[in-house]
Amino acid sequence: MSGDRAPLMAQPLRPPSAGRAAALLGLLVLGALVGVAGALVQPAWFPGGLLLALAGEAGTVLGAARLMRSRSGGIAVAAGWMITVVLLTVSRPEGDFLFAAGSGSYFFLLGGIAVAVICATFGPGRQPDGGPARLRK
């Protein structure tokens, strides 16, 4: 190891700045809105609505990861989506519920979780400062 700097992964994590924390909170709310919209669209036109809801979620998660230039943006949207959709599956004491016990609802829940995890990992990871050259040539 050359130089006096420790490797990037050996450095302690710092808390995010106030602006970055506010942006992540906004993306969490955006993920919740996408989850509600997807829950309402997917049963309307069964195959098309389901695909539209999952494509909207994938685009939002990927866009947030690219916008924040890290995986944290995608994870914030995915977390907001998952929390909202799981809360929408709970039936109320009056007997009301949003998701019916059909195959479309299960595809939306399980497919949405898979899409969120896959798309959240596509964001760029922590990279050291410096040029675009490969490390350890």
Side-chain angles (χ1 to χ4, degrees):
M1 182 161 315
S2 64
D4 56 350
R5 289 185 44 168
L8 181 67
M9 298 309 265
Q11 296 175 1
L13 293 175
R14 295 180 312 239
S17 64
R20 188 169 182 85
L24 290 173
L25 183 63
L27 289 174
L28 185 85
V29 171
L30 178 65
L33 293 174
V34 169
V36 170
L40 295 175
V41 167
Q42 65 91 17
W45 314 288
F46 171 60
L50 176 65
L51 294 175
L52 180 66
L54 293 178
E57 178 199 4
T60 308
V61 172
L62 284 173
R66 299 268 165 95
L67 176 73
M68 297 298 289
R69 294 188 188 112
S70 72
R71 292 184 184 133
S72 62
I75 291 170
V77 172
W81 186 92
M82 286 185 202
I83 291 168
T84 302
V85 170
V86 168
L87 289 176
L88 289 175
T89 61
V90 177
S91 64
R92 297 179 38 186
E94 296 88 15
D96 298 337
F97 58 90
L98 188 60
F99 289 103
S103 61
S105 296
Y106 292 121
F107 283 137
F108 178 66
L109 291 171
L110 298 176
I113 290 171
V115 165
V117 169
I118 290 168
C119 292
T121 59
F122 277 134
R126 295 179 67 190
Q127 296 291 323
D129 295 333
R134 290 185 293 151
L135 300 175
R136 304 232 187 238
K137 289 185 183 178

